[in-house]
Amino acid sequence: QVQLVESGGGLVEAGGSLRVSCAASGRSMYVMGWFRQAPGKEREFVAAVSRYGGSTYYADSVKSRFTIFRDNAKNTVSLQMNSLKSEDTAVYYCAASRELSSSPVEYEYWGQGIQVTVSS
């Protein structure tokens, strides 16, 4: 079992920045992704990063604003969120997959989620 624990998040004003991070247990290498879920909506893909950080993949809605990166020495993956909009308000989840994917179904392990609220 891989355990993922998110940190960061909170309340920020529109146009501001926030970073959420995820610490993973174990030493196995996984593709890491971030998803989000707003009230009344389905879980949505945000970004993913390959096992060694060489490739990244973003949803169109965040591509120019968010950056995903990982530090394998620390077993962490982070999502830097800039130019935040009210539409970014959601619970953000980190997840681990054996393959690159934008589908939640393909991710085997999940963190508990962390709230990000953007006020306008």
Side-chain angles (χ1 to χ4, degrees), residues 7-79:
S7 61
L11 175 65
V12 298
E13 295 182 355
S17 298
L18 196 67
R19 180 181 294 181
V20 290
S21 298
C22 177
S25 66
R27 297 186 181 275
S28 297
M29 297 299 300
Y30 287 87
V31 172
M32 298 298 299
W34 285 96
F35 292 78
R36 65 188 183 186
Q37 188 165 25
K41 295 187 177 180
E42 72 279 4
R43 192 163 297 186
E44 175 189 22
F45 172 76
V46 177
V49 59
S50 60
R51 296 175 185 270
Y52 294 96
S55 298
T56 56
Y57 178 30
Y58 298 92
D60 288 342
S61 60
V62 308
K63 187 174 296 182
S64 63
R65 300 183 295 122
F66 292 9
T67 303
I68 186 171
F69 59 96
R70 66 192 302 162
D71 184 340
N72 287 340
K74 297 180 179 179
N75 278 343
T76 60
V77 60
S78 298
L79 183 70

Side-chain angles (χ1 to χ4, degrees), residues 72-88:
N72 287 340
K74 297 180 179 179
N75 278 343
T76 60
V77 60
S78 298
L79 183 70
Q80 178 67 43
M81 300 179 286
N82 298 326
S83 301
L84 283 162
K85 307 173 181 179
S86 60
E87 302 95 290
D88 297 316

